Amino acid sequence: MADESTQSIVVDAPPQEIMAVIADFPAYPEWANAVKKTEVLEEGQDGRAQQVRFTLDAGAFKDVYTLAYDWAADGLSVSWTLVKGQLQRAQNGRYLLTSDGTKTKVTYTLAVQLAVPMIGLFRRKAEKMIMDIALKELKRRVEGA
């Protein structure tokens, strides 16, 4: 698997509000600009998505892929792995929420391996751009800005 990239942002909301937005996959196309369509393929007994298919259009990067999710019992993290993708060979990611009482630090870790070769430097730059946009869009959605 490729090297991981990690980025964080502070959101003015408690962890449960942030995790509710992260878990609301049908709403992603409303606030995550590159996500054009989502489909929950499988739900767990707790009602949370276990597998989700995404249709992504981020300009030069277009893909349809399915992720499997693992939700932490404490509600403070969720991780995922690639089940199937057109352009991706592997993807591992995680959101980790750390609260200080009034604000929450959201840490996003991502590792993507594409089916086509890509120089490591360019891949890391792409991952960092994806994470930066995703975190800013998540913050905007949660804070209602």
Side-chain angles (χ1 to χ4, degrees):
M1 185 59 177
D3 295 333
E4 292 181 340
S5 297
T6 300
Q7 237 176 295
S8 298
I9 197 166
V10 175
V11 179
D12 191 14
Q16 58 271 25
E17 285 183 30
I18 297 166
M19 196 57 78
V21 170
I22 291 169
D24 186 7
F25 294 105
Y28 274 43
E30 298 172 14
W31 61 271
N33 289 332
V35 178
K36 301 307 174 193
K37 182 179 175 187
T38 58
E39 181 183 357
V40 176
L41 302 176
E42 183 182 320
E43 287 184 352
Q45 291 180 346
D46 60 1
R48 289 196 186 246
Q50 296 298 301
Q51 284 198 17
V52 181
R53 180 182 301 128
F54 292 84
T55 301
L56 187 78
D57 184 350
F61 186 78
K62 295 174 174 49
D63 198 9
V64 176
Y65 57 95
T66 301
L67 299 177
Y69 286 87
D70 184 18
W71 303 90
D74 64 6
L76 297 177
S77 71
V78 59
S79 57
W80 60 89
T81 58
L82 182 73
V83 174
K84 180 170 63 171
Q86 293 175 348
L87 293 180
Q88 299 176 68
R89 184 174 297 144
Q91 181 185 143
N92 293 325
R94 180 178 186 213
Y95 279 114
L96 175 64
L97 310 181
T98 310
S99 178
D100 72 359
T102 58
K103 296 180 188 265
T104 303
K105 179 180 176 184
V106 179
T107 302
Y108 184 7
T109 303
L110 182 66
V112 175
Q113 184 178 12
L114 298 176
V116 294
M118 181 182 263
I119 296 172
L121 174 66
F122 294 124
R123 182 189 45 75
R124 283 188 296 281
K125 278 188 169 189
E127 284 175 356
K128 289 191 183 301
M129 185 180 75
I130 290 165
M131 289 187 304
D132 185 55
I133 291 168
L135 287 170
K136 287 178 180 173
E137 288 176 337
L138 176 64
K139 178 180 174 76
R140 225 178 351 264
R141 177 70 171 198
V142 171
E143 294 179 353

mmCIF file of all heavy atoms in Angstrom, residues 24-57:
data_model
loop_
_atom_site.group_PDB
_atom_site.id
_atom_site.type_symbol
_atom_site.label_atom_id
_atom_site.label_comp_id
_atom_site.label_asym_id
_atom_site.label_seq_id
_atom_site.Cartn_x
_atom_site.Cartn_y
_atom_site.Cartn_z
ATOM 1 N N ASP A 24 -23.743 10.516 6.742
ATOM 2 C CA ASP A 24 -24.906 10.791 5.882
ATOM 3 C C ASP A 24 -24.484 10.762 4.410
ATOM 4 O O ASP A 24 -24.455 11.782 3.729
ATOM 5 C CB ASP A 24 -25.521 12.136 6.257
ATOM 6 C CG ASP A 24 -26.811 12.419 5.509
ATOM 7 O OD1 ASP A 24 -27.314 11.519 4.795
ATOM 8 O OD2 ASP A 24 -27.313 13.552 5.626
ATOM 9 N N PHE A 25 -24.177 9.572 3.912
ATOM 10 C CA PHE A 25 -23.664 9.433 2.545
ATOM 11 C C PHE A 25 -24.615 9.943 1.467
ATOM 12 O O PHE A 25 -24.162 10.546 0.495
ATOM 13 C CB PHE A 25 -23.252 7.988 2.282
ATOM 14 C CG PHE A 25 -22.085 7.563 3.118
ATOM 15 C CD1 PHE A 25 -22.267 6.727 4.207
ATOM 16 C CD2 PHE A 25 -20.815 8.022 2.837
ATOM 17 C CE1 PHE A 25 -21.194 6.345 4.997
ATOM 18 C CE2 PHE A 25 -19.733 7.653 3.622
ATOM 19 C CZ PHE A 25 -19.923 6.812 4.711
ATOM 20 N N PRO A 26 -25.936 9.743 1.583
ATOM 21 C CA PRO A 26 -26.825 10.263 0.543
ATOM 22 C C PRO A 26 -26.730 11.785 0.351
ATOM 23 O O PRO A 26 -27.019 12.289 -0.725
ATOM 24 C CB PRO A 26 -28.220 9.851 1.022
ATOM 25 C CG PRO A 26 -27.983 8.616 1.834
ATOM 26 C CD PRO A 26 -26.675 8.887 2.548
ATOM 27 N N ALA A 27 -26.284 12.510 1.382
ATOM 28 C CA ALA A 27 -26.186 13.969 1.288
ATOM 29 C C ALA A 27 -24.844 14.449 0.711
ATOM 30 O O ALA A 27 -24.703 15.631 0.401
ATOM 31 C CB ALA A 27 -26.405 14.606 2.665
ATOM 32 N N TYR A 28 -23.874 13.576 0.531
ATOM 33 C CA TYR A 28 -22.558 13.998 0.043
ATOM 34 C C TYR A 28 -22.615 14.841 -1.237
ATOM 35 O O TYR A 28 -21.914 15.843 -1.336
ATOM 36 C CB TYR A 28 -21.638 12.793 -0.168
ATOM 37 C CG TYR A 28 -20.878 12.354 1.064
ATOM 38 C CD1 TYR A 28 -21.504 12.277 2.304
ATOM 39 C CD2 TYR A 28 -19.551 11.986 1.003
ATOM 40 C CE1 TYR A 28 -20.827 11.852 3.438
ATOM 41 C CE2 TYR A 28 -18.861 11.553 2.129
ATOM 42 C CZ TYR A 28 -19.501 11.501 3.332
ATOM 43 O OH TYR A 28 -18.814 11.084 4.446
ATOM 44 N N PRO A 29 -23.417 14.463 -2.237
ATOM 45 C CA PRO A 29 -23.449 15.289 -3.450
ATOM 46 C C PRO A 29 -23.903 16.734 -3.203
ATOM 47 O O PRO A 29 -23.623 17.619 -4.016
ATOM 48 C CB PRO A 29 -24.435 14.549 -4.359
ATOM 49 C CG PRO A 29 -24.364 13.127 -3.911
ATOM 50 C CD PRO A 29 -24.193 13.227 -2.404
ATOM 51 N N GLU A 30 -24.578 16.997 -2.088
ATOM 52 C CA GLU A 30 -25.015 18.354 -1.751
ATOM 53 C C GLU A 30 -23.872 19.243 -1.291
ATOM 54 O O GLU A 30 -23.939 20.464 -1.429
ATOM 55 C CB GLU A 30 -26.074 18.320 -0.628
ATOM 56 C CG GLU A 30 -27.342 17.594 -0.992
ATOM 57 C CD GLU A 30 -28.257 17.416 0.202
ATOM 58 O OE1 GLU A 30 -28.043 18.077 1.256
ATOM 59 O OE2 GLU A 30 -29.202 16.606 0.105
ATOM 60 N N TRP A 31 -22.822 18.664 -0.710
ATOM 61 C CA TRP A 31 -21.765 19.495 -0.134
ATOM 62 C C TRP A 31 -20.346 19.114 -0.535
ATOM 63 O O TRP A 31 -19.438 19.927 -0.412
ATOM 64 C CB TRP A 31 -21.877 19.517 1.400
ATOM 65 C CG TRP A 31 -21.741 18.193 2.079
ATOM 66 C CD1 TRP A 31 -22.739 17.310 2.359
ATOM 67 C CD2 TRP A 31 -20.550 17.596 2.573
ATOM 68 N NE1 TRP A 31 -22.237 16.205 2.992
ATOM 69 C CE2 TRP A 31 -20.890 16.353 3.152
ATOM 70 C CE3 TRP A 31 -19.201 17.990 2.605
ATOM 71 C CZ2 TRP A 31 -19.962 15.517 3.732
ATOM 72 C CZ3 TRP A 31 -18.267 17.149 3.189
ATOM 73 C CH2 TRP A 31 -18.652 15.931 3.746
ATOM 74 N N ALA A 32 -20.129 17.912 -1.005
ATOM 75 C CA ALA A 32 -18.803 17.483 -1.451
ATOM 76 C C ALA A 32 -18.773 17.609 -2.966
ATOM 77 O O ALA A 32 -19.314 16.761 -3.676
ATOM 78 C CB ALA A 32 -18.517 16.056 -0.997
ATOM 79 N N ASN A 33 -18.181 18.681 -3.454
ATOM 80 C CA ASN A 33 -18.287 19.050 -4.873
ATOM 81 C C ASN A 33 -17.893 17.949 -5.855
ATOM 82 O O ASN A 33 -18.512 17.817 -6.901
ATOM 83 C CB ASN A 33 -17.469 20.305 -5.151
ATOM 84 C CG ASN A 33 -18.102 21.533 -4.542
ATOM 85 O OD1 ASN A 33 -19.318 21.599 -4.373
ATOM 86 N ND2 ASN A 33 -17.278 22.503 -4.176
ATOM 87 N N ALA A 34 -16.878 17.162 -5.554
ATOM 88 C CA ALA A 34 -16.426 16.141 -6.498
ATOM 89 C C ALA A 34 -17.326 14.903 -6.496
ATOM 90 O O ALA A 34 -17.318 14.129 -7.445
ATOM 91 C CB ALA A 34 -14.989 15.733 -6.194
ATOM 92 N N VAL A 35 -18.109 14.725 -5.438
ATOM 93 C CA VAL A 35 -18.983 13.549 -5.343
ATOM 94 C C VAL A 35 -20.280 13.837 -6.089
ATOM 95 O O VAL A 35 -21.053 14.700 -5.710
ATOM 96 C CB VAL A 35 -19.275 13.177 -3.873
ATOM 97 C CG1 VAL A 35 -20.221 11.985 -3.806
ATOM 98 C CG2 VAL A 35 -17.986 12.882 -3.128
ATOM 99 N N LYS A 36 -20.500 13.108 -7.153
ATOM 100 C CA LYS A 36 -21.688 13.330 -7.986
ATOM 101 C C LYS A 36 -22.849 12.432 -7.593
ATOM 102 O O LYS A 36 -24.010 12.774 -7.782
ATOM 103 C CB LYS A 36 -21.353 13.131 -9.472
ATOM 104 C CG LYS A 36 -20.267 14.066 -9.970
ATOM 105 C CD LYS A 36 -20.593 15.512 -9.644
ATOM 106 C CE LYS A 36 -19.476 16.462 -9.992
ATOM 107 N NZ LYS A 36 -19.639 17.783 -9.410
ATOM 108 N N LYS A 37 -22.528 11.239 -7.041
ATOM 109 C CA LYS A 37 -23.582 10.296 -6.669
ATOM 110 C C LYS A 37 -23.040 9.339 -5.614
ATOM 111 O O LYS A 37 -21.863 8.964 -5.662
ATOM 112 C CB LYS A 37 -24.021 9.511 -7.913
ATOM 113 C CG LYS A 37 -25.136 8.529 -7.683
ATOM 114 C CD LYS A 37 -25.499 7.815 -8.987
ATOM 115 C CE LYS A 37 -26.526 6.734 -8.746
ATOM 116 N NZ LYS A 37 -26.781 5.927 -9.936
ATOM 117 N N THR A 38 -23.912 8.954 -4.679
ATOM 118 C CA THR A 38 -23.562 7.926 -3.701
ATOM 119 C C THR A 38 -24.706 6.922 -3.624
ATOM 120 O O THR A 38 -25.862 7.274 -3.856
ATOM 121 C CB THR A 38 -23.341 8.510 -2.291
ATOM 122 O OG1 THR A 38 -24.525 9.191 -1.886
ATOM 123 C CG2 THR A 38 -22.149 9.455 -2.249
ATOM 124 N N GLU A 39 -24.346 5.696 -3.300
ATOM 125 C CA GLU A 39 -25.365 4.664 -3.126
ATOM 126 C C GLU A 39 -24.925 3.748 -1.984
ATOM 127 O O GLU A 39 -23.860 3.121 -2.063
ATOM 128 C CB GLU A 39 -25.517 3.861 -4.414
ATOM 129 C CG GLU A 39 -26.571 2.789 -4.338
ATOM 130 C CD GLU A 39 -26.652 1.960 -5.617
ATOM 131 O OE1 GLU A 39 -25.929 2.245 -6.595
ATOM 132 O OE2 GLU A 39 -27.444 0.999 -5.614
ATOM 133 N N VAL A 40 -25.711 3.721 -0.924
ATOM 134 C CA VAL A 40 -25.426 2.808 0.186
ATOM 135 C C VAL A 40 -25.826 1.411 -0.264
ATOM 136 O O VAL A 40 -26.997 1.155 -0.549
ATOM 137 C CB VAL A 40 -26.172 3.232 1.471
ATOM 138 C CG1 VAL A 40 -25.944 2.217 2.581
ATOM 139 C CG2 VAL A 40 -25.742 4.630 1.915
ATOM 140 N N LEU A 41 -24.849 0.519 -0.339
ATOM 141 C CA LEU A 41 -25.081 -0.842 -0.828
ATOM 142 C C LEU A 41 -25.412 -1.813 0.289
ATOM 143 O O LEU A 41 -26.088 -2.818 0.064
ATOM 144 C CB LEU A 41 -23.853 -1.343 -1.589
ATOM 145 C CG LEU A 41 -23.402 -0.502 -2.782
ATOM 146 C CD1 LEU A 41 -22.120 -1.067 -3.357
ATOM 147 C CD2 LEU A 41 -24.496 -0.427 -3.831
ATOM 148 N N GLU A 42 -24.912 -1.503 1.480
ATOM 149 C CA GLU A 42 -25.109 -2.416 2.611
ATOM 150 C C GLU A 42 -25.079 -1.619 3.908
ATOM 151 O O GLU A 42 -24.236 -0.734 4.069
ATOM 152 C CB GLU A 42 -23.978 -3.451 2.596
ATOM 153 C CG GLU A 42 -24.059 -4.518 3.645
ATOM 154 C CD GLU A 42 -22.865 -5.458 3.564
ATOM 155 O OE1 GLU A 42 -22.447 -5.799 2.448
ATOM 156 O OE2 GLU A 42 -22.370 -5.843 4.636
ATOM 157 N N GLU A 43 -26.028 -1.928 4.808
ATOM 158 C CA GLU A 43 -26.066 -1.285 6.116
ATOM 159 C C GLU A 43 -25.841 -2.318 7.204
ATOM 160 O O GLU A 43 -26.225 -3.474 7.051
ATOM 161 C CB GLU A 43 -27.420 -0.605 6.366
ATOM 162 C CG GLU A 43 -27.636 0.651 5.574
ATOM 163 C CD GLU A 43 -28.946 1.347 5.936
ATOM 164 O OE1 GLU A 43 -29.758 0.778 6.695
ATOM 165 O OE2 GLU A 43 -29.149 2.461 5.445
ATOM 166 N N GLY A 44 -25.257 -1.865 8.315
ATOM 167 C CA GLY A 44 -25.079 -2.734 9.469
ATOM 168 C C GLY A 44 -26.324 -2.726 10.327
ATOM 169 O O GLY A 44 -27.287 -1.997 10.061
ATOM 170 N N GLN A 45 -26.320 -3.517 11.389
ATOM 171 C CA GLN A 45 -27.466 -3.584 12.295
ATOM 172 C C GLN A 45 -27.737 -2.246 12.979
ATOM 173 O O GLN A 45 -28.861 -1.968 13.369
ATOM 174 C CB GLN A 45 -27.251 -4.677 13.341
ATOM 175 C CG GLN A 45 -27.291 -6.063 12.754
ATOM 176 C CD GLN A 45 -27.087 -7.140 13.796
ATOM 177 O OE1 GLN A 45 -26.667 -6.874 14.908
ATOM 178 N NE2 GLN A 45 -27.397 -8.372 13.421
ATOM 179 N N ASP A 46 -26.690 -1.423 13.112
ATOM 180 C CA ASP A 46 -26.850 -0.110 13.744
ATOM 181 C C ASP A 46 -27.390 0.943 12.776
ATOM 182 O O ASP A 46 -27.568 2.097 13.148
ATOM 183 C CB ASP A 46 -25.524 0.361 14.347
ATOM 184 C CG ASP A 46 -24.415 0.497 13.302
ATOM 185 O OD1 ASP A 46 -24.662 0.239 12.098
ATOM 186 O OD2 ASP A 46 -23.293 0.873 13.694
ATOM 187 N N GLY A 47 -27.638 0.552 11.523
ATOM 188 C CA GLY A 47 -28.168 1.482 10.531
ATOM 189 C C GLY A 47 -27.101 2.269 9.791
ATOM 190 O O GLY A 47 -27.406 3.006 8.857
ATOM 191 N N ARG A 48 -25.855 2.126 10.188
ATOM 192 C CA ARG A 48 -24.769 2.838 9.498
ATOM 193 C C ARG A 48 -24.341 2.071 8.250
ATOM 194 O O ARG A 48 -24.391 0.841 8.199
ATOM 195 C CB ARG A 48 -23.573 3.022 10.416
ATOM 196 C CG ARG A 48 -23.830 4.032 11.514
ATOM 197 C CD ARG A 48 -22.516 4.436 12.120
ATOM 198 N NE ARG A 48 -22.732 5.293 13.264
ATOM 199 C CZ ARG A 48 -22.376 6.555 13.307
ATOM 200 N NH1 ARG A 48 -21.790 7.118 12.277
ATOM 201 N NH2 ARG A 48 -22.583 7.267 14.381
ATOM 202 N N ALA A 49 -23.902 2.819 7.259
ATOM 203 C CA ALA A 49 -23.457 2.216 6.009
ATOM 204 C C ALA A 49 -22.237 1.333 6.234
ATOM 205 O O ALA A 49 -21.302 1.727 6.940
ATOM 206 C CB ALA A 49 -23.126 3.304 4.995
ATOM 207 N N GLN A 50 -22.271 0.165 5.640
ATOM 208 C CA GLN A 50 -21.130 -0.750 5.673
ATOM 209 C C GLN A 50 -20.381 -0.729 4.339
ATOM 210 O O GLN A 50 -19.175 -0.886 4.319
ATOM 211 C CB GLN A 50 -21.595 -2.178 5.975
ATOM 212 C CG GLN A 50 -22.222 -2.334 7.344
ATOM 213 C CD GLN A 50 -21.261 -2.024 8.471
ATOM 214 O OE1 GLN A 50 -20.212 -2.645 8.592
ATOM 215 N NE2 GLN A 50 -21.602 -1.056 9.290
ATOM 216 N N GLN A 51 -21.139 -0.528 3.241
ATOM 217 C CA GLN A 51 -20.534 -0.386 1.917
ATOM 218 C C GLN A 51 -21.264 0.711 1.162
ATOM 219 O O GLN A 51 -22.498 0.759 1.166
ATOM 220 C CB GLN A 51 -20.595 -1.688 1.121
ATOM 221 C CG GLN A 51 -19.581 -2.694 1.572
ATOM 222 C CD GLN A 51 -19.351 -3.781 0.529
ATOM 223 O OE1 GLN A 51 -19.693 -3.644 -0.642
ATOM 224 N NE2 GLN A 51 -18.733 -4.871 0.965
ATOM 225 N N VAL A 52 -20.460 1.577 0.515
ATOM 226 C CA VAL A 52 -21.015 2.706 -0.228
ATOM 227 C C VAL A 52 -20.307 2.807 -1.574
ATOM 228 O O VAL A 52 -19.077 2.712 -1.642
ATOM 229 C CB VAL A 52 -20.837 4.036 0.546
ATOM 230 C CG1 VAL A 52 -21.439 5.196 -0.233
ATOM 231 C CG2 VAL A 52 -21.444 3.940 1.946
ATOM 232 N N ARG A 53 -21.102 2.991 -2.637
ATOM 233 C CA ARG A 53 -20.555 3.223 -3.976
ATOM 234 C C ARG A 53 -20.568 4.729 -4.242
ATOM 235 O O ARG A 53 -21.580 5.397 -4.035
ATOM 236 C CB ARG A 53 -21.367 2.511 -5.051
ATOM 237 C CG ARG A 53 -20.784 2.748 -6.462
ATOM 238 C CD ARG A 53 -21.599 2.099 -7.565
ATOM 239 N NE ARG A 53 -21.702 0.664 -7.366
ATOM 240 C CZ ARG A 53 -22.855 -0.016 -7.365
ATOM 241 N NH1 ARG A 53 -23.999 0.614 -7.556
ATOM 242 N NH2 ARG A 53 -22.865 -1.312 -7.181
ATOM 243 N N PHE A 54 -19.438 5.238 -4.695
ATOM 244 C CA PHE A 54 -19.281 6.663 -5.004
ATOM 245 C C PHE A 54 -19.049 6.851 -6.496
ATOM 246 O O PHE A 54 -18.325 6.071 -7.116
ATOM 247 C CB PHE A 54 -18.050 7.241 -4.286
ATOM 248 C CG PHE A 54 -18.178 7.315 -2.804
ATOM 249 C CD1 PHE A 54 -17.892 6.217 -2.014
ATOM 250 C CD2 PHE A 54 -18.574 8.484 -2.187
ATOM 251 C CE1 PHE A 54 -18.001 6.280 -0.634
ATOM 252 C CE2 PHE A 54 -18.687 8.562 -0.814
ATOM 253 C CZ PHE A 54 -18.401 7.459 -0.029
ATOM 254 N N THR A 55 -19.642 7.893 -7.050
ATOM 255 C CA THR A 55 -19.309 8.349 -8.395
ATOM 256 C C THR A 55 -18.628 9.690 -8.202
ATOM 257 O O THR A 55 -19.238 10.645 -7.696
ATOM 258 C CB THR A 55 -20.568 8.495 -9.270
ATOM 259 O OG1 THR A 55 -21.217 7.221 -9.331
ATOM 260 C CG2 THR A 55 -20.205 8.961 -10.673
ATOM 261 N N LEU A 56 -17.354 9.756 -8.580
ATOM 262 C CA LEU A 56 -16.518 10.925 -8.325
ATOM 263 C C LEU A 56 -16.114 11.575 -9.639
ATOM 264 O O LEU A 56 -15.741 10.879 -10.585
ATOM 265 C CB LEU A 56 -15.263 10.481 -7.565
ATOM 266 C CG LEU A 56 -14.349 11.569 -7.055
ATOM 267 C CD1 LEU A 56 -14.940 12.182 -5.794
ATOM 268 C CD2 LEU A 56 -12.975 10.968 -6.745
ATOM 269 N N ASP A 57 -16.191 12.892 -9.682
ATOM 270 C CA ASP A 57 -15.711 13.654 -10.829
ATOM 271 C C ASP A 57 -14.953 14.862 -10.304
ATOM 272 O O ASP A 57 -15.541 15.871 -9.939
ATOM 273 C CB ASP A 57 -16.873 14.101 -11.723
ATOM 274 C CG ASP A 57 -16.400 14.807 -12.983
ATOM 275 O OD1 ASP A 57 -15.194 15.134 -13.089
ATOM 276 O OD2 ASP A 57 -17.240 15.041 -13.870
#
